[in-house]
Each structure stands twice: as C-alpha cells, then as structure tokens.
Amino acid sequence: MTGVPGKILAVSGGVGGAKLALGLAHALDPVQFTVIANTADDFVHHGLQISPDLDTVMYTLAGLSNQQVGWGQEGESWNFLDALARLGGQDWFRLGDRDLATHILRSDLLGRGATLSEVTRKLSLALGVSHPILPMSDDRVSTIVHTATGEELAFQHYFVRDRCEPEVTGFHFDGIDTATPAPGFLEALADDDLALIVICPSNPFVSVDPVFSLPGVLDHIIARGVPMVAVSPIVGGLAIKGPAAKMMAELGMPSTPVSVARHYLDGYRGALTGFVMDDQDRHLLNDVEALGLPAIVTNTVMITLQDRITLAKAVMGFGINL
Ligand code: FO1
C-alpha cells in the first residue's frame, strides 16, 4: 500500500519498536519509509562493537529475527558461546554464531574507518533490507542507568547481565551533548515530503529519549511542525516486553499509557501531536485527551504480521490527518 502522501520516519528501539517498523515497511515503499534506530544500547563486548537495536530492526525487516525473543537470529547455533564459556569467557550476553558474523564485520569495518551509518547500510543491503535503517548518530552515545544503591550501570549490564533487577532512579546518556544526528537523519526531517514521524512502541526512557535528546532533533521537528504520533509501549499496565512498566513504577509513575503520553508531552516541547493506545486502555482515552493530545484506541498487541501491518496503517491514517 502506498496511498500515503509523502514520507514516514519511524523511531525504533528494542523488540516492540521493530515489530511496528516491519508493519510500516510492508505498507510503504523504500523511498517512503526510513527507520531511525536507537544506538544508546550499543556497547563494546569481547572487543566487538555491538549495536543491538540496529540489529534487531535489521534482522526483523530482513525476516531473520528470532520470533521467540525478538532479538538475534532465527535458527541460531551457539558453538562460539559454548567454546567461549569453556575458555572462561563471559557468556551472559548471548551471541549466536550467525549473529556473531554481524558483530565481527561491523567491528572490522568501523575499525578501518567506516561510519556506523555506512556499516549499517552495507549490512542491511546484504541482508536484502531495502528500507533505509539509520543509526540515530554515528557518534557514541551510551545510556547509563542510575540505581537505588547509587551504582551507575552500563545499559547492557542493567538489562541483560543484571536482568533489569536493580531499582532504577534515573538515566543519563553519556556523549549525548557532543553527538550529532547521523547523516540522513536531519535531511529526512528537512525533507519537504516528510508527512509523519512515528514513535514506535519502544521503551520511552532508554529507547526513545536518547533519539530526541540528540542536539538539534527536536528543534528541527518543531520548526517543521510535522505531525508526530507515538504508540504506547504500555498495554493494560504492563510493557509487552522489557522493563518499561517496572521503570515507571520505580520512577514513581503509574505504569499506564497516560504516563507515557505525559512523558513525551513534557519532554518533547509540544512536538508530539497524537497518541495511539490499546483497546485494553480505552477507559483511559479521556485522560490522554485531557492532556490536549488527540488519541485513538486500536489493537496495538502485534502477534501476527497482519497485526503489524494493520497497526501501521491505523497509525498512518490517524497521524497523517493530524
Ligand atoms: N537481550 C537479553 O535479554 N539477553 C541476551 O542475551 C541478549 C543478547 C543479544 C545479542 C544481540 C543483540 O542484538 C541483542 C541481544 N539482546 C539480549 C537484546 C539487547 O539487550 C537489546 O538491548 C534489547 O533488545 C533492548 O533494546
């Protein structure tokens, strides 16, 4: 389906974001749709440059992603990790044999002077992904998680090694003040044909906030006045996947779509113009609209590919007309 006048830019991080990105990719031509992926989850592990949210959206659009957990590749083998553990190496971050090729090639190319954007383009084209996937920045930005014990954790240590168990008190994004949006990101925002920005159902704090904290991004969006719609990652008081609801509770927020809407409204200087929430939260629609935010209720729980495509079309139909 195109039928959509203009271009769509989606901001995605994590598994939930990639699901909607896939629905949008099925509904839009490659010239119409670009994904901006969070890179503040990135880290160096075993000497390898690992970009989980870029890989999750790349594998998902390539049809290669593990359907059970959403990250890594389908049909993986684990010989590398087993051999590494036998040698006494760290095996808490599970790198499959096929996935390892991505990290090795990315690390090799980056080490020889390529930018993250150039590497992402090479890898995604090699995997047959025709819709452009851009890192939010080619500069290193690292989410640091502040915990109740006072310890500050690198994101993957919090998320994977410590299984999201530490109590969160806040975050900061190391490197954000000097990071610049990746080539193509600001150009996409300046494109006269840009009709809509979609914030996918990703973790607001650690997947979405880093992207909009990049210097210049919100300024460009506000100057353009382009519609921007967010899909709630919280359904019925829970995150479909990941620690968003737990983080909200620890930050003193009710884990509801209303809190997500308020977080984006307060944080993004009025750039948010619409909100999409699940049927299960229909009773909260008035609370969101009372914030002055137009909202719709639809099915946002994406089990099947058709769910992804249907949600994508609902988001576009709503957002385009804001
Ligand atoms: N998430 C986990 O919970 N456990 C893992 O062992 C794990 C390994 C992994 C390997 C490659 C990759 O691209 C992602 C991986 N993830 C894993 C997900 C990763 O932690 C992402 O940061 C989350 O998806 C949140 O964005």
Side-chain angles (χ1 to χ4, degrees):
M1 152 200 166
T2 46
V4 170
K7 295 178 179 177
I8 310 275
L9 197 58
V11 172
S12 175
V15 171
K19 286 182 177 178
L20 181 55
L22 181 62
L24 289 162
H26 275 265
L28 295 164
D29 295 334
V31 294
Q32 282 187 291
F33 176 52
T34 295
V35 184
I36 303 291
N38 169 47
T39 57
D41 284 9
D42 293 11
F43 74 137
V44 178
H45 194 51
H46 309 308
L48 297 170
Q49 303 278 348
I50 296 178
S51 296
D53 286 352
L54 276 170
D55 292 345
T56 296
V57 74
M58 178 174 71
Y59 292 155
T60 299
L61 266 57
L64 296 173
S65 62
N66 178 311
Q67 295 301 302
Q68 279 65 47
V69 292
W71 48 261
Q73 293 192 28
E74 195 59 70
E76 269 290 15
S77 53
W78 304 94
N79 299 307
F80 157 73
L81 210 59
D82 293 344
L84 183 70
R86 190 166 45 246
L87 292 169
Q90 299 177 60
D91 63 349
W92 54 268
F93 193 77
R94 302 197 53 71
L95 295 171
D97 297 331
R98 291 195 175 99
D99 188 34
L100 183 60
T102 301
H103 309 305
I104 288 176
L105 183 54
R106 172 181 284 125
S107 302
D108 180 23
L109 294 172
L110 289 173
R112 289 193 280 138
T115 64
L116 187 56
S117 296
E118 290 164 347
V119 174
T120 303
R121 178 169 171 72
K122 178 183 178 61
L123 296 176
S124 44
L125 287 176
L127 294 181
V129 177
S130 47
H131 293 86
I133 300 171
L134 304 181
M136 69 182 200
S137 175
D138 283 340
D139 303 316
R140 178 165 297 283
V141 176
S142 304
T143 294
I144 305 296
V145 180
H146 301 187
T147 67
T149 62
E151 191 182 8
E152 295 189 351
L153 295 172
F155 179 75
Q156 298 299 344
H157 287 173
Y158 163 80
F159 190 89
V160 181
R161 191 196 61 191
D162 301 349
R163 292 180 303 284
C164 304
E165 285 164 5
E167 181 183 342
V168 166
T169 57
F171 312 89
H172 75 270
F173 308 127
D174 199 37
I176 196 75
D177 294 336
T178 53
T180 55
F185 186 3
L186 291 186
E187 287 76 357
L189 291 177
D191 190 320
D192 289 338
D193 294 332
L194 181 62
L196 178 64
I197 299 170
V198 176
I199 298 177
C200 292
S202 302
N203 186 305
F205 311 108
V206 295
S207 294
V208 182
D209 281 353
V211 179
F212 291 97
S213 301
L214 276 171
V217 168
L218 277 177
D219 297 337
H220 275 74
I221 294 171
I222 292 166
R224 281 294 310 278
V226 64
M228 182 157 83
V229 173
V231 179
S232 175
I234 297 291
V235 172
L238 298 172
I240 296 292
K241 185 169 175 59
K246 177 177 182 286
M247 288 178 173
M248 292 171 88
E250 290 165 354
L251 294 170
M253 302 175 189
S255 53
T256 68
V258 185
S259 298
V260 176
R262 190 175 285 119
H263 178 75
Y264 289 149
L265 280 172
D266 295 347
Y268 300 173
R269 303 193 335 240
L272 188 73
T273 54
F275 197 68
V276 179
M277 48 205 281
D278 190 74
D279 293 317
Q280 293 177 48
D281 295 309
R282 180 177 300 277
H283 61 289
L284 296 173
L285 180 57
N286 292 337
D287 294 346
V288 172
E289 291 180 323
L291 300 174
L293 187 62
I296 59 166
V297 173
T298 187
N299 172 46
T300 67
V301 179
M302 295 175 274
I303 308 297
T304 66
L305 174 59
Q306 190 52 56
D307 292 338
R308 291 158 171 73
I309 296 170
T310 303
L311 178 57
K313 290 178 177 177
V315 169
M316 290 190 289
F318 168 57
I320 291 280
N321 296 311
L322 279 170

